[in-house]
Amino acid sequence: MKWALIGIFVLIVASAIADSSSEESEEKTKEESEETTNELVLAEPCDEEACQLPNCRCSSTSIPGGLNPRNVPQFVLVTFDDNVNVINVQTYRNIMYGRVNTNSCPAGVTFFVNHEYTDYQITNELYNQGFEIALHSISHQTPQSYWAQATYDDMKLEFADQKIQMSHFANIPYEEIKGVRNPFLQMAGNSSFQVMADYDLLYDSTWPAQIDVNPGLWPYTLDYASTQDCVIPPCPTASIPGVWVLPMVAWLDLEGVPCAMVDSCFHVPNHEDEEAWFRFIVTNFERHYLGTRAPFPFYIHEWYLAIHPAVRRAFVRFMDMINNLNDVFMVNSHEVIDWVRKPIPIDEYKQKPCREFIRTTCPASNCGPLYSTHNQWSAFWMQICNVCPNVYPWLGNPLGQ
Ligand SMILES: *[C@@H]1O[C@H](CO)[C@@H](O)[C@H](O)[C@H]1NC(C)=O
Ligand SMILES: [Zn+2]
């Protein structure tokens, strides 16, 4: 260490002598140290004193703001993954549209949308229903190991570019796009979070929590080291301020085995048994509602409801029930982050105006055949807002120019 320091000292002196202007070398040293600050540093154990809301929170099951559980609004997060198309929108129109919470605000739903085969005109419709459109990558490609090994540049092409792409083709204001979920719930270490920090993406909802289920883990930031169990490694270990983790707190199936998505639970009731499914959902809900009220997840793919009508009916019954409870609120995912940053008790929460969003129109174009660079033999048709692209948009060319 001592010799290294002396070495650097000698170098600085040497360059100062070589350069007649010592100012120039000073500038150089400054530049170099700036680059060093951008490098990742290992996150330290969380310092509760230093890490305070609204911009920092340690990973913890304790209720934000130290509220009494009975004063905490029970948020319910319904999310659907994958592409949005003419088939699955029928389910969304039938069972999600027009729902209202007891505070008279429209119920929220979050769609984690991937690019391929997505109908952007319908995505625009979902956005204009007041739902949240979030990112689920451009390529959603296999194998899963691609995501585990994805570098910063890979994640930039998948998510930073998808934010531009989604905003353009679905005509959604760029800054309204805030959430990310990686395909296959495969974590990618620090890289996806670094990209999120650099491109103003607020929260990630990829990370399953299987240990902190009862009580459930609340959203937290990555300023300090996470204590969350890493189910699908690699998980981030660097300090990445400004990004929130919205953990996927697991359900417990009938045998107590944790599952991050409802459709990935293994020991489940008979798929034809609506009553048993309703009880299954309510049992999981009550773990949150009668506990510390960590946000209750209902994370699913639409196909599961389509092939199991009884499960769908049970889910509708459940939503009808919670839409009538005066301390339960179905919201868009980013609203949970907003609440955690500034936690307020139920009474105050109910006085707040409903979420606002900028309505947009969709100048519709139906485009195709568009030839793809990732698959030379296939032609694609796209339903979009705005003017048609030249080629099928893909990684490295998100607008298909
Ligand atoms: C994340 O960054 C930390 C700090 O630089 C590093 O120790 C760790 O290996 C990185 N994780 C991955 C998966 O690259
Ligand atoms: Zn997916």
Side-chain angles (χ1 to χ4, degrees), residues 39-43 148 188-191 234-239:
E39 267 170 29
L40 289 179
V41 293
L42 200 61
N190 307 312
S191 63
C235 294
T237 53
S239 168

Side-chain angles (χ1 to χ4, degrees), residues 81-83 112 114 136-137 140 181-185 261 301:
D81 286 9
D82 298 346
N83 62 49
F112 289 95
N114 65 295
H136 192 45
S137 86
H140 203 297
R181 177 172 289 162
N182 294 357
F184 317 111
L185 308 187
M261 308 273 300
H301 295 80

Side-chain angles (χ1 to χ4, degrees), residues 245-279:
V245 175
L246 176 53
M248 301 179 79
V249 176
W251 278 33
L252 299 178
D253 74 9
L254 296 175
E255 301 285 328
V257 179
C259 31
M261 308 273 300
V262 176
D263 50 40
S264 69
C265 295
F266 189 72
H267 306 96
V268 293
N270 186 316
H271 285 119
E272 267 94 74
D273 192 339
E274 178 189 327
E275 185 57 34
W277 263 90
F278 180 71
R279 283 201 309 272

Side-chain angles (χ1 to χ4, degrees), residues 59 207-210 212 217 220 226-230 235 245 247-248:
S59 58
W207 194 341
Q210 297 193 342
D212 289 326
L217 190 60
Y220 61 91
S226 169
T227 56
Q228 184 175 347
D229 49 328
C230 187
C235 294
V245 175
M248 301 179 79

Side-chain angles (χ1 to χ4, degrees), residues 284-297:
N284 276 286
F285 172 70
E286 285 183 340
R287 191 180 313 113
H288 292 246
Y289 184 52
L290 306 177
T292 58
R293 300 204 168 170
F296 176 65

